[in-house]
Amino acid sequence: MAVSFLSRGVGLFQLSRRTTTLLSGARCYSQTEPEPLTVKQQHDGIRRIILNNPRKRNALSLSMLESLRENILTDANSDELRVIIISAKGPVFSSGHDLKELTSAQGRDYHTKVFLTCAEVMTLVQDIPVPVIAMVNGVATAAGCQLVASCDIAVATEKSTFATPGVNVGLFCSTPAVAIGRAVPRKVAMEMLFTGTPISAHDALLHGLVSKVVPEERLEEETLSIAKRICEASRPVVALGKATFQRQMAQGRDAAYATTSRVMVDNLALRDGQEGIQAFIEKRKPVWSHKAEKAHD
């Protein structure tokens, strides 16, 4: 709501969240603040991060990546944060890097900073102790496709498409290949990378790039349903499970079983681990502490 006041006869100042207007005599000056590149909202344990630059197809510019990183990291260890949903405003989820930042004029040091920051954000999505869900309604290409592949869960609409078209502009999608090559079969990844040809949402589901494909009108409902189910579980148990899954996937079979066997024992030592078992035995709903406290050594 706008608030108006007079100040020392200078004129009428009208303040709003986005625009400050100075009226002085017959002249009018207006200064509009730029829209934030990302929008962060949180309610009932669910943090919504919205890519908010549809005019530039939600390109993952350095500024966008830094904003996304900040939105993910803020209070990441708070008990109040249980799950993150990343979505986008407009018909494009993300078109990937801003190619205007990748010209020779920017220089090697700047290019290095862009890709190191991008790698940091993608790694952060997988290392943060809460699940991250991509909610996709449109086109996801190059680093945008990489972001989808990096998320723990991805829900997409039927009209969504996914591609790594860098090869067609002379920049092979080598960094997106890290996440995509770990999400889809090798030969599917290689065809995407060598041709740049988009795949449909249903093909993305078939190959494991997304978790679920839904009609556009059900996207919000389905994504929030998954998020709310996650919120019903114990936060430290989910955090332990996510970290362990990522670790064991990089190991050989025998090492993975050794790792996960130790973690199962550690999980049993958690207060919430014992609460869940006791609740099952007593045929009642568990009452989670959401604290990483031990029930025993």
Side-chain angles (χ1 to χ4, degrees), residues 8-81:
R8 298 184 182 180
V10 173
L12 175 65
F13 286 79
Q14 197 170 46
L15 302 180
S16 69
R17 295 179 64 185
R18 299 230 176 264
T19 305
T20 303
T21 303
L22 167 62
L23 301 176
S24 179
R27 302 183 66 185
C28 174
Y29 302 91
S30 179
Q31 182 178 356
T32 303
E33 296 178 4
E35 288 277 344
L37 292 174
T38 61
V39 176
K40 177 172 69 72
Q41 307 163 343
Q42 187 166 325
H43 183 66
D44 290 339
I46 302 172
R47 177 173 298 174
R48 305 285 299 268
I49 301 175
I50 304 166
L51 307 183
N52 190 45
N53 195 10
R55 187 173 61 85
K56 291 193 174 181
R57 297 166 61 86
N58 292 313
L60 295 179
S61 63
L62 180 58
S63 296
M64 174 77 90
L65 287 166
E66 290 173 340
S67 182
L68 182 57
R69 178 178 61 190
E70 180 183 355
N71 287 168
I72 294 171
L73 279 173
T74 300
D75 296 325
N77 293 315
S78 168
D79 293 344
E80 300 302 314
L81 177 61

Side-chain angles (χ1 to χ4, degrees), residues 14 24 107 189 199 252 259 294:
Q14 197 170 46
S24 179
I199 63 172
T259 294
K294 288 190 175 183

Side-chain angles (χ1 to χ4, degrees), residues 156-211:
T157 57
E158 294 166 326
K159 72 176 186 180
S160 298
T161 59
F162 305 85
T164 51
V167 68
N168 297 323
V169 296
L171 183 64
F172 198 85
C173 285
S174 294
T175 45
V178 174
I180 295 165
R182 285 163 171 73
V184 306
R186 180 185 297 262
K187 288 180 172 58
V188 174
M190 296 305 277
E191 182 178 350
M192 291 178 68
L193 292 162
F194 286 143
T195 68
T197 303
I199 63 172
S200 68
H202 287 289
D203 281 345
L205 177 63
L206 175 66
H207 299 310
L209 182 59
V210 302
S211 317

